[in-house]
């Protein structure tokens, strides 16, 4: 490999404020060196362009919320399914969740509109100030991570103190506001189910203010000329209470389960519930679009401490982690970049 000044190349890319899409629009045939993932092996990416799970016998947990309040038996069954999925996978898919298909489709179209509008409009939102309520950039951790990922992102803080309407991009303003309200309601319901699965009262996590804030990250993955040399998002776990993810019809999301990567087709428990390690592959086709709603208060000046839930602790189950604020946890996470040693281990007792 030819020697090159990585920092200089990163800054040159960042200064364009055009993101990865700008590279594609320029007609590149080979990806820049800053995007080349050195650890790629044939085994690591063997399922890169497959449409099937790496093991057809593995069934992704699917939770059906239909008739959840029909009777106690039906709700208890759903709670048990959520608990099993959280313990064994740290991930599940939800159907009959109450978010209209129209709202989800419009959200995906809005993200596409934002990314495909003239670059001079997008540049007005480009920033590396992660404390802003609305910003657009490519790779939040571009100067911390070992390799850049093939994606651009629009980030919008939607609760508890959302931006004013004119602060949101016109291209997807109404879609963001509408989707945010629906996904908040779904998030509240999932917090209740997770609490019950832990043996707590339904409102326990809500009373802890776990649902007080949410942050929407809309990812745009342009088609990649060399998808076998880079990745959409490096493997990682999310630094929030849990994430609700909406993705379009183009596959790419994978969850690490039982020592293998599983393709996913179109989340405070003292280690009782897993945090799913996941990644997104780069693709020849695209763009691929996904919308991740992070339930977190990371952008709020809250001093509330979070740690293992005391009601779950005992002499036989002592705390494994020390308490910290959400902001401190996310700050540590961001300082390391994606793909680094899991941040949770930094707070282990």
């Amino acid at each position: 490999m030819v020697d090159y000044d990585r920092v200089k190349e990163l800054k040159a890319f960042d200064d364009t404020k055009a993101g990865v899409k700008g590279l594609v629009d320029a007609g590149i045939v080979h990806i820049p060196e800053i995007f080349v993932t050195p650890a790629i092996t044939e085994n690591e990416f063997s399922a890169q362009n497959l449409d099937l799970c790496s093991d057809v016998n593995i069934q992704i947990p699917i939770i059906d919320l239909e008739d959840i309040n029909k009777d106690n038996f039906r709700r208890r069954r759903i709670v048990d399914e959520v608990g099993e999925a959280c313990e064994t996978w740290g991930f599940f898919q939800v159907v009959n969740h109450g978010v209209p298909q129209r709202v989800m489709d419009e959200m995906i179209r809005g993200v596409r509109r934002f990314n495909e509008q003239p670059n001079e409009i997008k540049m007005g939102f480009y920033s590396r100030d992660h404390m802003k309520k609305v910003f657009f950039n490519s790779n939040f951790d571009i100067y911390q991570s070992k390799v850049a990922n093939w994606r651009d992102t629009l980030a919008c803080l939607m609760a508890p103190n959302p931006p004013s309407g004119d602060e949101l991009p016109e291209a997807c303003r109404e879609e963001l506001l509408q989707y945010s309200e629906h996904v908040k309601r779904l998030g509240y319901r999932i917090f209740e189910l997770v609490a019950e699965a832990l043996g707590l009262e339904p409102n326990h996590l809500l009373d802890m203010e776990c649902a007080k804030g949410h942050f929407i990250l809309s990812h745009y993955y342009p088609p990649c000329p060399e998808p076998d040399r880079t990745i959409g998002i490096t493997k990682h776990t999310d630094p929030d209470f849990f994430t609700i993810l909406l993705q379009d019809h183009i596959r790419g999301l994978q969850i690490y389960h039982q020592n293998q990567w599983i393709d996913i087709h179109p989340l405070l428990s003292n280690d009782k519930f897993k945090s799913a390690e996941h990644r997104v592959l780069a693709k020849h086709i695209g763009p691929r679009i996904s919308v991740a709603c992070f339930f977190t208060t990371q952008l709020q000046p809250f001093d509330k401490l979070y740690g293992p839930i005391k009601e779950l602790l005992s002499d036989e189950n002592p705390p494994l982690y020390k308490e910290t604020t959400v902001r401190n946890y996310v700050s540590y996470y961001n300082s390391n970049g994606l793909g680094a040693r899991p941040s949770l281990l930094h707070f282990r007792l």
Side-chain angles (χ1 to χ4, degrees):
M1 181 175 65
V2 178
D3 289 337
Y4 76 110
D5 188 332
R6 179 172 179 79
V7 174
K8 181 180 178 180
E9 293 295 321
L10 288 170
K11 189 173 188 311
F13 168 73
D14 198 22
D15 285 348
T16 68
K17 300 184 179 180
V20 174
K21 186 177 185 299
L23 298 174
V24 175
D25 291 344
I28 65 165
V29 176
H30 301 291
I31 64 173
E33 198 68 35
I34 59 173
F35 291 94
V36 176
T37 303
I40 290 181
T41 65
E42 182 178 348
N43 178 62
E44 177 83 352
F45 281 73
S46 59
Q48 173 108 5
N49 293 308
L50 297 181
D51 287 333
L52 300 175
C53 292
S54 53
D55 185 337
V56 295
N57 295 318
I58 292 180
Q59 177 62 54
I60 305 298
I62 298 177
I63 310 296
D64 188 347
L65 298 183
E66 188 173 17
D67 296 328
I68 187 172
N69 293 319
K70 181 179 180 181
D71 53 51
N72 289 336
F73 176 79
R74 172 65 179 155
R75 186 178 181 90
R76 186 68 244 169
R77 181 175 178 180
I78 293 174
V79 167
D80 289 344
E81 290 174 352
V82 168
E84 168 116 11
C86 288
E87 285 194 47
T88 58
W89 286 79
F91 169 89
F92 55 85
Q93 293 179 292
V94 181
V95 296
N96 294 315
H97 41 65
V99 182
Q101 187 65 47
R102 169 187 57 81
V103 172
M104 295 187 291
D105 291 345
E106 289 177 355
M107 184 68 229
I108 294 293
R109 285 195 292 268
V111 174
R112 183 166 188 160
R113 260 196 316 275
F114 171 82
N115 283 276
E116 296 180 358
Q117 64 187 327
N119 194 53
E120 55 266 24
I121 300 177
K122 288 191 298 181
M123 287 174 65
F125 294 93
Y126 200 92
S127 175
R128 295 238 166 249
D129 182 358
H130 297 160
M131 299 308 294
K132 295 184 69 171
K133 289 185 178 181
V134 179
F135 61 88
F136 163 70
N137 65 35
S138 185
N139 290 255
F140 77 92
D141 59 343
I142 196 166
Y143 295 108
Q144 290 80 35
S145 63
K146 295 180 179 179
V147 63
N149 293 167
W150 197 258
R151 75 179 186 285
D152 299 328
T153 302
L154 173 66
C156 302
L157 172 68
M158 301 304 293
N161 301 308
S164 60
D166 58 1
E167 290 180 89
L168 292 168
E170 184 177 359
C172 54
R173 180 180 302 154
E174 294 304 317
E175 291 80 5
L176 274 164
L177 292 169
Q178 184 175 226
Y179 182 72
S180 175
E181 283 302 308
H182 282 282
V183 81
K184 179 174 69 173
R185 288 195 288 270
L186 175 58
Y188 276 42
R189 173 156 288 177
I190 293 177
F191 271 116
E192 291 176 347
L193 294 172
V194 170
E196 290 181 66
L198 287 168
L200 304 168
E201 292 297 317
N203 285 335
H204 194 103
L205 298 177
L206 298 177
D207 291 342
M208 290 175 60
E209 301 183 342
C210 295
K212 192 167 184 177
H214 68 267
F215 190 52
I216 293 181
L217 299 180
S218 301
H219 298 305
Y220 182 93
Y221 305 87
C224 181
E226 297 180 292
D228 56 338
R229 301 185 70 213
T230 189
I231 195 163
I233 293 185
T234 302
K235 64 180 180 180
H236 67 286
T237 57
D238 292 338
D240 59 344
F241 294 115
F242 70 78
T243 304
I244 294 178
L245 180 68
L246 168 66
Q247 56 177 345
D248 68 5
H249 64 286
I250 298 178
R251 296 164 183 167
L253 175 67
Q254 294 186 325
I255 298 294
Y256 196 67
H257 180 70
Q258 295 181 349
N259 298 316
Q260 62 184 314
W261 289 102
I262 308 297
D263 292 320
I264 303 301
H265 305 293
L267 107 133
L268 302 152
S269 61
N270 204 40
D271 275 358
K272 180 174 174 61
F273 287 171
K274 292 178 178 288
S275 181
E277 187 173 52
H278 55 286
R279 69 182 184 183
V280 174
L281 302 179
K283 296 279 187 176
H284 271 300
I285 59 174
R288 178 183 182 273
I289 294 169
S290 68
V291 181
C293 181
F294 282 44
F295 283 86
T296 177
T297 55
Q298 68 186 67
L299 297 184
Q300 304 301 319
F302 296 155
D303 294 325
K304 186 177 181 65
L305 291 172
Y306 288 94
I309 297 171
K310 293 179 173 53
E311 288 81 356
L312 302 179
L313 303 178
S314 65
D315 291 340
E316 294 75 29
N317 183 34
L320 300 178
Y321 301 94
K322 54 190 173 185
E323 293 184 325
T324 185
T325 64
V326 172
R327 175 173 284 192
N328 285 344
Y329 179 81
V330 175
S331 177
Y332 179 80
Y333 179 97
N334 288 344
S335 70
N336 288 279
L338 297 181
R341 177 175 179 265
S343 296
L344 196 59
L345 296 180
H346 177 71
F347 298 91
R348 197 171 179 95
L349 293 170

